[in-house]
Amino acid sequence: MGLKKLFGKGIVFCGIILSICAGVIFLSTQDPYRQRIAEWTDSQDFMDDNEVLPCFDGARKQDQTRQLLIGDSICGQMFYEFQEYNQHISMQASNAPFMITGQYILAEEYLKYHPEATDIFLVMHPVPLTRTFDTQWSYRYGVMTYAEVDAMERLDENTRDAMVSVYGKVFIKKEIVQLIEDSPILRKLYLNYVNFNRESYAQSSFFEIADQYVKKLYELCEQNGVTLHLYPAPVTEFFREHVSTLAQEYDKTWMSKKFPDYFNDILYYPNEWSKDMSHFGGKYEEPEMLKETIERAYEDTALLESLRFGIEP
């Protein structure tokens, strides 16, 4: 009897602890407790909003635009500066961890709300174009976004399988993702778990995912009477050697048949122009210099022809 009583008390104690944990997690999703619990658990760095979700709001906006500009954060740095002069273009650049899979979903969303669309401009640095489902940022800005906008089923089965292999099946479900989004404690615990205990998805080639989804995007555009344009973002000299290696792999892809000049059209610029070897810095991120860079990088393209700068020469 003594052992049974001890076992029973242990069960009750565990139940109490689990109830307390569940209560704390629930409160961590609710204001005003969310901020206080984040401070108490040192989780303040995991309270940021998903910076990619507003791109979907923009894509769904039923405006008069007929062209969509999407891409990574370098694309955003270059072109957002001129958004006010280009009301005819919906500019929805995001970031690299959103991945090419995310760009496909975003473009699909735009076309759903803009049946008169004519062009989609996809501007990506060649390195982010090779991005895989990693253990650093792809869950936060890729997978969580796909789940939150109910887009998981619009991705191919092999893509969902790749995500499951890294993050686990339960953690790509919308209900669980939303809980992780709302609770800084859970987000901290899960993202750290993935970072230290899981391995990134190993692509069969650098462009496995990109080739699949650029092709899907191309076919989607064809179905909607839209022209897809793929352009490289400017690249620092720091990446030149690596990009040369990628160019050899690119020649083996489906993309290289439809967009053969992607690597040939790369504008390389000095490392000193950049603040982090990827984005422009100092005077080179000011509008006048960005305008010059864009004009050099996209000379004789449909993108440059469509752009307005609002800056006197």
Side-chain angles (χ1 to χ4, degrees):
M1 285 294 293
L3 186 60
K4 287 184 178 179
K5 284 184 178 180
L6 183 62
F7 181 73
K9 289 180 178 179
I11 293 294
V12 171
F13 177 76
C14 289
I16 293 172
I17 295 299
L18 287 174
S19 296
I20 292 173
C21 290
V24 171
I25 289 173
F26 173 74
L27 290 176
S28 73
T29 68
Q30 307 294 312
D31 291 324
Y33 308 105
R34 189 170 184 262
Q35 176 68 42
R36 297 172 187 172
I37 292 176
E39 293 173 357
W40 176 50
T41 57
D42 195 25
S43 306
Q44 301 98 310
D45 292 342
F46 298 86
M47 292 188 66
D48 60 303
D49 292 330
N50 188 333
E51 65 186 60
V52 179
L53 287 177
C55 293
F56 284 88
D57 294 333
R60 293 167 180 152
K61 185 178 180 182
Q62 294 181 305
D63 50 28
Q64 299 304 309
T65 64
R66 300 179 68 182
Q67 297 177 316
L68 173 67
L69 173 65
I70 53 177
D72 54 29
S73 57
I74 304 170
C75 170
Q77 184 188 34
M78 288 192 297
F79 296 105
Y80 275 147
E81 192 70 44
F82 306 105
Q83 174 69 89
E84 64 178 302
Y85 309 113
N86 292 276
Q87 298 300 311
H88 58 294
I89 303 176
S90 178
M91 295 187 178
Q92 306 303 332
S94 50
N95 58 31
F98 186 49
M99 296 180 54
I100 189 63
T101 40
Q103 305 296 346
Y104 168 79
I105 294 169
L106 187 58
E108 186 180 45
E109 201 73 10
Y110 178 81
L111 293 178
K112 188 189 306 182
Y113 287 86
H114 298 81
E116 302 300 318
T118 59
D119 299 89
I120 291 181
F121 303 111
L122 174 59
V123 179
M124 292 192 71
H125 189 289
V127 175
L129 193 60
T130 67
R131 190 112 186 184
T132 187
F133 296 107
D134 63 28
T135 59
Q136 292 285 330
W137 299 107
S138 294
Y139 183 81
R140 174 70 184 105
Y141 295 110
V143 178
M144 291 183 74
T145 306
Y146 313 157
E148 290 184 72
V149 298
D150 292 313
M152 280 294 180
E153 295 304 316
R154 284 144 61 184
L155 298 174
D156 292 338
E157 184 177 358
N158 68 324
T159 306
R160 297 195 299 273
D161 288 344
M163 290 187 282
V164 168
S165 72
V166 180
Y167 311 113
K169 189 172 184 177
V170 69
F171 292 101
I172 68 171
K173 294 183 179 297
K174 182 175 181 178
E175 298 79 11
I176 301 301
V177 167
Q178 193 61 60
L179 191 58
I180 292 173
E181 175 72 44
D182 293 340
S183 171
I185 302 176
L186 285 183
R187 201 191 303 178
K188 177 180 181 180
L189 289 172
Y190 180 69
L191 293 183
N192 277 297
Y193 166 76
V194 169
N195 191 21
F196 292 108
N197 295 281
R198 308 294 292 181
E199 293 184 2
S200 301
Y201 172 69
Q203 299 188 82
S204 59
S205 66
F206 281 118
F207 294 102
E208 176 194 332
I209 299 173
D211 207 34
Q212 180 176 342
Y213 279 87
V214 170
K215 183 179 180 182
K216 281 177 68 69
L217 180 53
Y218 182 88
E219 292 171 347
L220 176 68
C221 287
E222 273 198 322
Q223 293 166 13
N224 287 272
V226 172
T227 302
L228 175 65
H229 310 265
L230 174 63
Y231 301 122
V235 175
T236 58
E237 289 292 341
F238 176 82
F239 284 107
R240 184 185 282 271
E241 186 175 346
H242 180 49
V243 169
S244 295
T245 300
L246 293 181
Q248 297 174 30
E249 292 295 318
Y250 183 81
D251 287 341
K252 306 171 187 176
T253 66
W254 175 92
M255 291 184 291
S256 67
K257 307 302 186 293
K258 293 296 181 182
F259 305 102
D261 295 322
Y262 175 79
F263 276 87
N264 295 331
D265 290 341
I266 293 174
L267 173 68
Y268 289 94
Y269 65 94
N271 295 338
E272 293 73 25
W273 292 17
S274 175
K275 56 188 174 185
D276 57 8
M277 294 301 126
S278 293
H279 301 85
F280 295 98
K283 69 178 184 179
Y284 299 100
E285 61 181 329
E286 295 175 1
E288 293 80 3
M289 295 302 295
L290 287 175
K291 175 179 178 291
E292 289 185 20
T293 299
I294 290 170
E295 289 174 336
R296 289 176 57 201
Y298 306 106
E299 184 179 5
D300 298 326
T301 66
L303 174 57
L304 186 61
E305 183 180 340
S306 185
L307 284 172
R308 305 292 179 266
F309 293 102
I311 297 175
E312 293 297 327

